[in-house]
Amino acid sequence: MKKIILFIAVLIAIISTSCTDDFLEQAPINQLSSENFIPDLALTGVYDGLQIINVAGSFMWQMGLSPLATNRVQLNFETGVGLDPSNGKFEEIWRDHYRLIFKANLFIDNAVPTENFEQAEINNFIGQAKFIRAYAYSQLAAFYGSVPIHLNSSTTVSEMRQIAKSTKAEVIAQILKDLDEAIAILPDVVEHGRVSKGAAMALKARVLLRENDYPSVLSITEDIINSGIYGLFGETSPGSTSFDTDAYKNLFTLEHDNNEESVFAVQYVGPLLGEGQPFDNDGSYKSARGGNMWFWATKFLVDNYENIDGSPVGTGPYQEMPTPGDPRFLGRDLRFDATITYPGKTIYTGQVWEPGFRIYTRAETRFLITKFTAETDDTSIAGSWFPNGGDSPANIMLIRYADVLLMNAEAKIETGNITDSGANSAIKSINRIRARGGLQPITATTQEELRTALRKERMIEFAGEGLFMFDIRRWGIADVEMERDVEDFAGNVTPHGTRIFSPKLLEWPIPQFEIDNSEGLVQNPLWE
């Protein structure tokens, strides 16, 4: 898949430098024909829409909409400033997801057998495109609630202006329809970066989890687990709870892209091709290159990483100390060091994250997210000041098998299935996840104890991946969690850290630009 993306990147570069007005007039993108439609390349163009920072990279600002990170530069949710339908970020997220939907629609409407592609292969391609369309709509429904459903690429601008919002239930129904049709078509095993049946099933489980449909989630995730196709990266054998010390860290490295835990990952190639992944220039220490430094981790997240020996971590202030840093940073859950850059930590170049590091003071909490940062000695990717940060070849996993296991565990807990002693019981799945972090197994026995443990593991396991924002919403605790002020390493509320929760944040406004240019859209009630 990465080779195909590389080819497309070169092709786009050639086209962009050789297009003329005549060319554009002869081949408009919404008038495809058998002569100018090449199915596999066209499908790669649909996948390309996933790479955008507001789509695959959306985990960056999703983190800031939870107690795990702050994101004031993008949406100012901490202070409430700029929270109106004219906020540019609301418009960007809306626009980029609908662009992805348009690409998928265009492909679905024009995909027909050719001399080189038989009907079965075209059906497979259409299944992949329907997964991508479903993913885009699942994000829109989670952010905005009720949104317009566009399924036809031939709809004119005038017709689009007349389209009203569908209810959230109708949007969810369309997502599930697309996914069911994809599941019926897609194969179990695919080329890296392509959508498999398991990916479509996992996305369906995630959508239904957000709707608290636990019986359906349980059934779907059981099927994925029993397929035996996926596994926890670094586990010596399924269910063994035996892992290499660096298993969790290596899960996110370039060398281990597309491993057995990756149910679906957005593929990137780089640097210097315009097809690289942006995170390491916008949220990590590589922002030293001059990136945006959009967010940083909170002390609340840091405090929640357990000590391996079981001793209490405490919530007191941390100290800025020479490497290896405050002793309280040591001996933690192995996922801590793999996820967090903390004062005194030595990064892979040998530099220390401490006062004097170029952007140290820009991170108000002094804690950064390390995940998805390309740590490599390749100077074309990362030199002394990371000259090509923000153009990384590291993939972004949108769905991991760990999520499948924890969705399954949560479904069992919430349906009262807590006495199961089988290999995939809720407590055993939780303890498999903990074991990779070097932690001792839990011994919870009641539903409430298991629920508390499950929620803690989701927070830690997926920290920096954007899922906790959706978790606290569906658990009904967003109002409490988002009132937590943002504290720095010493326990002081940061200059922009006083958080004000509003129910409006649970369902975003339709962008004002869309309202102004539509005859059918009405604003979401709390934003009128």
Side-chain angles (χ1 to χ4, degrees):
M1 180 67 171
K2 286 200 174 190
K3 290 180 179 178
I4 297 175
I5 293 174
L6 175 59
F7 173 78
I8 293 295
V10 174
L11 182 62
I12 291 172
I14 293 170
I15 292 173
S16 64
T17 56
S18 62
C19 282
T20 65
D21 290 341
D22 288 340
F23 174 84
L24 295 175
E25 289 173 2
Q26 291 171 9
I29 63 171
N30 63 344
Q31 295 179 16
L32 297 178
S33 67
S34 58
E35 286 75 26
N36 62 19
F37 186 81
I38 306 174
D40 56 342
L41 295 185
L43 181 60
T44 301
V46 181
Y47 276 94
D48 183 70
L50 285 167
Q51 295 180 325
I52 297 172
I53 195 167
N54 288 319
V55 182
S58 65
F59 67 89
M60 290 191 284
W61 42 264
Q62 286 168 206
M63 281 189 288
L65 305 181
S66 79
L68 310 187
T70 183
N71 194 9
R72 70 175 181 83
V73 175
Q74 285 294 287
L75 289 169
N76 282 344
F77 280 3
E78 281 76 11
T79 62
V81 174
L83 285 186
D84 62 71
S86 298
N87 185 296
K89 199 62 184 175
F90 291 136
E91 182 180 332
E92 289 176 21
I93 294 164
W94 175 284
R95 177 199 65 207
D96 288 342
H97 282 84
Y98 272 110
R99 283 179 175 173
L100 179 57
I101 289 166
F102 175 77
K103 286 185 174 186
N105 288 344
L106 194 63
F107 181 87
I108 293 167
D109 289 348
N110 289 278
V112 294
T114 67
E115 181 180 347
N116 297 315
F117 297 93
E118 297 181 353
Q119 186 65 60
E121 193 163 13
I122 293 298
N123 290 343
N124 182 331
F125 290 169
I126 290 173
Q128 295 177 55
K130 286 187 174 181
F131 168 93
I132 294 171
R133 182 168 71 183
Y135 178 80
Y137 272 121
S138 73
Q139 293 290 88
L140 288 169
F143 298 142
Y144 302 94
S146 301
V147 298
I149 296 177
H150 297 290
L151 302 176
N152 192 331
S153 64
S154 63
T155 304
T156 67
V157 173
S158 177
E159 290 170 335
M160 291 179 70
R161 286 175 176 164
Q162 305 297 322
I163 298 177
K165 293 189 298 182
S166 296
T167 65
K168 185 176 181 181
E170 290 170 334
V171 178
I172 297 299
Q174 178 58 47
I175 293 167
L176 297 178
K177 180 176 183 294
D178 271 348
L179 291 174
D180 283 339
E181 291 174 359
I183 290 167
I185 295 171
L186 294 171
D188 291 319
V189 180
V190 298
E191 177 187 358
H192 292 319
R194 295 293 191 185
V195 179
S196 66
K197 177 183 292 187
M201 293 172 67
L203 179 57
K204 182 179 179 181
R206 178 178 290 178
V207 170
L208 292 169
L209 186 74
R210 292 175 184 172
E211 299 302 305
N212 296 321
D213 184 353
Y214 291 111
S216 294
V217 172
L218 181 57
S219 175
I220 296 166
T221 53
E222 285 285 310
D223 286 344
I224 299 172
I225 292 168
N226 291 334
S227 75
I229 294 172
Y230 306 100
L232 289 180
F233 177 76
E235 193 172 33
T236 55
S237 62
S240 69
T241 67
S242 175
F243 294 88
D244 178 78
T245 301
D246 293 326
Y248 189 78
K249 179 179 180 180
N250 288 340
L251 171 63
F252 301 96
T253 61
L254 282 171
E255 294 81 3
H256 298 98
D257 271 350
N258 300 314
N259 59 67
E260 66 269 27
E261 187 162 338
S262 179
V263 179
F264 181 70
V266 177
Q267 309 290 302
Y268 292 91
V269 292
L272 307 178
L273 294 168
E275 295 290 326
Q277 173 263 96
F279 168 73
D280 61 5
N281 193 45
D282 291 326
S284 74
Y285 46 75
K286 288 191 180 181
S287 295
R289 171 179 175 261
N292 294 304
M293 180 55 71
W294 282 354
F295 60 91
W296 39 89
T298 62
K299 183 175 179 292
F300 170 77
L301 171 58
V302 171
D303 288 342
N304 270 280
Y305 284 94
E306 299 174 31
N307 285 329
I308 289 177
D309 64 8
S311 62
V313 172
T315 58
Y318 297 98
Q319 305 298 315
E320 285 182 311
M321 300 176 67
T323 188
D326 190 315
R328 290 174 59 215
F329 292 141
L330 308 180
R332 294 285 193 95
D333 182 329
L334 299 174
R335 294 171 291 183
F336 172 66
D337 197 67
T339 305
I340 304 294
T341 301
Y342 51 84
K345 180 178 180 178
T346 301
I347 63 175
Y348 75 98
T349 59
Q351 297 162 287
V352 178
W353 179 249
E354 62 184 353
F357 198 100
R358 183 181 294 187
I359 55 164
Y360 185 77
T361 58
R362 287 173 60 187
E364 292 183 356
T365 65
R366 305 300 190 260
F367 297 119
L368 299 179
I369 301 292
T370 304
K371 275 183 184 175
F372 300 117
T373 303
E375 297 189 344
T376 173
D377 294 328
D378 183 345
T379 57
S380 70
I381 298 175
S384 60
W385 284 108
F386 323 110
N388 291 307
D391 193 15
S392 164
N395 294 343
I396 292 177
M397 286 182 283
L398 294 185
I399 307 175
R400 291 201 277 125
Y401 185 62
D403 193 13
V404 173
L405 285 179
L406 290 183
M407 285 194 289
N408 180 267
E410 182 172 349
K412 287 176 176 172
I413 293 167
E414 297 304 331
T415 55
N417 186 2
I418 62 173
T419 59
D420 177 15
S421 60
N424 297 316
S425 67
I427 192 168
K428 286 184 178 178
S429 291
I430 292 171
N431 284 331
R432 285 177 70 185
I433 300 297
R434 289 174 59 83
R436 187 162 56 181
L439 301 179
Q440 295 300 308
I442 61 168
T443 57
T445 56
T446 69
Q447 184 184 48
E448 188 56 37
E449 288 173 342
L450 283 166
R451 179 183 291 131
T452 299
L454 180 283
R455 293 182 177 186
K456 173 76 172 290
E457 286 310 306
R458 286 195 65 85
M459 176 175 67
I460 296 300
E461 177 69 18
F462 305 119
E465 297 177 54
L467 297 184
F468 202 58
M469 163 192 168
F470 302 112
D471 288 343
I472 60 177
R473 289 180 173 197
R474 62 187 177 80
W475 292 333
I477 58 174
D479 55 341
V480 175
E481 295 297 335
M482 287 305 295
E483 286 282 356
R484 297 181 187 276
D485 289 343
V486 178
E487 296 181 346
D488 66 12
F489 69 99
N492 302 310
V493 176
T494 63
H496 305 90
T498 302
R499 286 190 154 175
I500 304 171
F501 175 80
S502 168
K504 297 165 69 173
L505 299 180
L506 300 180
E507 189 172 277
W508 295 355
I510 305 301
Q512 192 60 47
F513 177 84
E514 299 295 331
I515 296 289
D516 293 342
N517 287 276
S518 171
E519 299 174 23
L521 289 179
V522 294
Q523 189 54 269
N524 287 336
L526 293 179
W527 296 87
E528 291 177 336

